[in-house]
Amino acid sequence: MTITHLPAGPTDDVPYEPWDGEDEALAAAAAAGRRAAAWIRSLPTGPAPSPVGSWLREDLPESIERATFCLDPQDCDRMDPGGVMVDGTGGLDAETRSKLVFVPCAVQDAPWLTPDQQIRLVAVASLVTGAARLLAEDPGTAITTGELSRMWALVDHATV
């Protein structure tokens, strides 16, 4: 058996063609992020100023907004010119991703929030990171079949 590797050409000479409905899907993501951030900012603050309280009130909503605004279907899993597989991020930078991953730990240190509020915070952070991963793995399907839109419906449901 003979294995022939196709020549790897430059990836920057291939023009990007947006998926049908991409602009609308990304606009819906940004809008859902703004609504989720507003809900997080409306949550009660702790009885005394604390690092977790200010993080939940300031950093987390900003991270949610940034993540949903920066989603990028072009940042998907791909092959580099050398033929090595590169994991895409769906547009989510490492700092934002680390803040969202921290949410399950942070809510444990926020006893002034009800268990329902805590679980909703975890759900929102999980949905946002999941949406970025979904875009990284299969942007076309996520956008054209409405999977991404369903994620934002769940975010809206969690923040009501």
Side-chain angles (χ1 to χ4, degrees):
M1 176 191 286
T2 304
I3 297 177
T4 305
H5 296 282
L6 296 173
T11 57
D12 56 353
D13 64 353
V14 178
Y16 176 75
E17 292 188 29
W19 299 95
D20 287 338
E22 180 177 318
D23 290 339
E24 296 83 4
L26 295 177
R34 285 190 300 275
R35 289 188 300 271
W39 173 76
I40 293 168
R41 289 182 182 109
S42 75
L43 292 172
T45 58
S50 71
V52 170
S54 64
W55 184 84
L56 286 171
R57 189 176 51 260
E58 297 164 14
D59 291 345
L60 180 59
E62 289 172 12
S63 295
I64 296 283
E65 285 178 311
R66 183 172 40 259
T68 56
F69 180 77
C70 293
L71 289 175
D72 184 2
Q74 294 184 63
D75 189 4
C76 59
D77 298 346
R78 63 200 173 280
M79 226 30 120
D80 76 2
V84 176
M85 190 66 187
V86 176
D87 287 335
T89 65
L92 197 60
D93 64 78
E95 180 184 349
T96 303
R97 185 176 29 256
S98 70
K99 286 181 180 181
L100 296 176
V101 170
F102 181 66
V103 172
C105 299
V107 297
Q108 295 177 32
D109 293 331
W112 61 89
L113 296 176
T114 67
D116 182 64
Q117 291 167 331
Q118 291 176 351
I119 202 71
R120 288 170 185 259
L121 281 169
V122 172
V124 168
S126 176
L127 287 163
V128 171
T129 55
R133 191 69 232 141
L134 189 63
L135 276 178
E137 290 176 3
D138 191 1
T141 301
I143 293 169
T144 60
T145 64
E147 287 180 53
L148 199 56
S149 298
R150 287 191 296 276
M151 300 281 282
W152 307 131
L154 291 171
V155 166
D156 286 339
H157 181 73
T159 59
V160 175

